Amino acid sequence: MDDTNTARRVITEDEYQDAAKCVREAAGRSGPRLSRAATDDITATLLLSAGLLTPPPAPEPGTCTALFPDDEGMWVQCEEEPGHADTYHSDGEIEWTDEDPNAVPPQG
């Protein structure tokens, strides 16, 4: 993750699907078929290298719904109780605030 406070653009789901399709097709021309998980990981890595983030997933219920992209561009979710009082979040390894330009604050 870069150390600037500039938000990276989160691409749309359609843009992500188009990029993933291109990666699957290119990988298929280059050798054995890769798994969907492998092509999704490659797609996310390529997008991150271009300063782009994949669309955030729907938060899992039961914990705070705040999301944040890790150093590999994968989204992590806060493990605190839903509705916790502060604006600091953590998934147990990464800590962030609602003010970070790449954060998705808690929903609802």
Side-chain angles (χ1 to χ4, degrees):
M1 194 165 31
D2 64 12
D3 291 330
T4 67
N5 286 329
T6 303
R8 292 173 276 178
R9 184 169 87 77
V10 177
I11 64 171
T12 67
E13 185 62 33
D14 286 344
E15 290 171 322
Y16 174 76
Q17 292 303 326
D18 288 346
K21 179 181 176 188
C22 289
V23 168
R24 284 191 300 275
E25 289 173 355
R29 291 189 302 269
S30 300
R33 184 178 172 104
L34 296 175
S35 70
R36 179 70 180 242
T39 57
D40 285 351
D41 186 47
I42 292 167
T43 303
T45 301
L46 288 170
L47 291 169
L48 182 66
S49 71
L52 303 170
L53 294 171
T54 62
E60 294 291 326
T63 63
C64 175
T65 60
L67 298 167
F68 191 75
D70 68 10
D71 288 342
E72 285 81 40
M74 304 306 290
W75 292 95
V76 297
Q77 183 173 343
C78 181
E79 294 181 349
E80 302 287 332
E81 292 292 319
H84 63 96
D86 58 33
T87 63
Y88 287 90
H89 304 284
S90 173
D91 76 333
E93 294 181 25
I94 300 171
E95 294 182 352
W96 69 94
T97 68
D98 288 341
E99 291 76 33
D100 189 291
N102 294 297
V104 176
Q107 303 168 14

